[in-house]
Amino acid sequence: MVSTVLNTDVKQKDADGAMVVAVTSRAVFEAGDDDDDEVYGVGVAFTLLQALQRVNQRLLEENPAESLLFDIVLITTDSRQQSARIISSTRHYGLEVSQFWFSDEEDFMETLVKHEVQLFVSVDRAEVLQGSQRGVLSVLLDQQTTSCPSQQLRVLFCGDSVDDDSVATHQAAQRFSGRLGELRLRFGVSDSPLRIVLMMSHGGRESCGGALRTLRSRGVSVDEAYCLAGAPRGPILSVLRPHFLLSHTEE
């Protein structure tokens, strides 16, 4: 059973144009030591939500009638008794969450599919795996996300996976990538609230060029590209600080 609560403080997005991003409440908030606190502390997905909001804000500044926006939804399997606290925490921090989905464990994944979620974000590896198995593009966040900038959404494509035929046929990934490409075209070269980066961990220039062509065929132009040729990617990641990686294979 799923219970949906609309956030009346936020204007609801156009269902036909918006990109639905569902984030687990446990990724956004952290329960404190004091259960009497009215609001939760911020979790690893907090800066991601701020960056998504920043993209929406800039889009609406350019065109108040813009429909290609991120529609942020919080989904949780926590007890109904915690629902008021989750909603009040969202309002306290000024997060532009349009809806809250309170779901039972058995209906959790079905909720993502039913609402045609285009990106599912969690800190639970098992949930991410289940989402991927149901055809929902799912990403796993960790503590590194907390250091990501809130004023610019940074998306990293792992080129070694982008150029993989099995991934190229993944409809959910293609659709989301294409819409990200559309969003990036809304902004100029400089001062963009959205930055798209390609990283090739292995291979040379030809492999990197192939990955770039694959992305361009999906309508995605990248801001930066890195060909590491087997070098460790940790130092680059520490500088880039992407909010999430779009990758479907483990390295």
Side-chain angles (χ1 to χ4, degrees):
M1 181 177 178
V2 180
S3 173
T4 299
V5 177
L6 299 181
N7 187 352
T8 56
D9 293 341
V10 175
K11 182 179 179 181
Q12 298 299 303
K13 308 295 188 299
D14 181 356
D16 293 329
M19 304 168 63
V20 181
V21 179
V23 189
T24 60
S25 63
R26 294 176 187 177
V28 181
F29 302 121
E30 287 186 350
D33 296 331
D34 187 355
D35 291 335
D36 294 328
D37 289 344
E38 293 184 2
V39 298
Y40 289 115
V42 299
V44 297
F46 189 79
T47 57
L48 169 61
L49 264 62
Q50 289 183 316
L52 293 171
Q53 289 180 199
R54 179 58 176 166
V55 174
N56 283 351
Q57 178 185 349
R58 286 287 304 277
L59 286 167
L60 292 172
E61 287 174 358
E62 297 291 332
N63 178 16
E66 179 66 69
S67 61
L68 183 57
L69 302 166
F70 290 111
D71 190 5
I72 305 170
V73 176
L74 284 195
I75 183 169
T76 184
T77 56
D78 291 337
S79 65
R80 297 290 189 273
Q81 289 80 5
Q82 294 175 296
S83 62
R85 193 173 177 187
I86 291 172
I87 294 173
S88 63
S89 298
T90 301
R91 290 173 172 165
H92 172 79
Y93 292 113
L95 298 177
E96 294 182 0
V97 172
S98 63
Q99 297 181 35
F100 303 90
W101 296 340
F102 299 97
S103 171
D104 295 331
E105 287 282 356
E106 56 269 23
D107 297 322
F108 188 84
M109 290 301 152
E110 188 61 35
T111 300
L112 300 179
V113 176
K114 178 182 177 182
H115 289 85
E116 298 182 347
V117 168
Q118 296 185 38
L119 180 68
F120 170 55
V121 180
S122 175
V123 290
D124 188 314
R125 187 176 296 275
E127 289 179 346
V128 170
L129 178 59
Q130 291 174 37
S132 298
Q133 290 173 340
R134 293 299 302 272
V136 179
L137 182 60
S138 306
V139 298
L140 179 71
L141 298 188
D142 57 29
Q143 287 294 333
Q144 290 184 342
T145 310
T146 59
S147 66
C148 296
S150 60
Q151 295 296 308
Q152 185 182 58
L153 176 63
R154 298 182 179 180
V155 181
L156 176 66
F157 282 91
C158 178
D160 304 278
S161 298
V162 169
D163 210 28
D164 189 330
D165 288 342
S166 63
V167 176
T169 57
H170 193 292
Q171 295 182 354
Q174 288 185 351
R175 182 165 57 250
F176 186 76
S177 300
R179 302 204 77 185
L180 273 182
E182 288 183 59
L183 277 180
R184 184 62 188 88
L185 290 175
R186 299 286 204 274
F187 307 106
V189 175
S190 61
D191 193 33
S192 171
L194 171 60
R195 193 164 195 82
I196 299 176
V197 180
L198 168 67
M199 177 181 290
M200 291 290 295
S201 297
H202 307 287
R205 288 184 179 181
E206 291 185 2
S207 298
C208 191
L212 283 169
R213 287 190 293 272
T214 298
L215 285 174
R216 287 170 183 164
S217 71
R218 301 180 189 176
V220 182
S221 295
V222 305
D223 295 285
E224 301 175 51
Y226 296 89
C227 181
L228 303 185
R233 67 181 189 177
I236 295 294
L237 289 176
S238 66
V239 174
L240 294 176
R241 293 186 297 163
H243 289 91
F244 58 87
L245 283 65
L246 291 182
S247 174
H248 298 275
T249 60
E250 296 292 331
E251 292 188 9

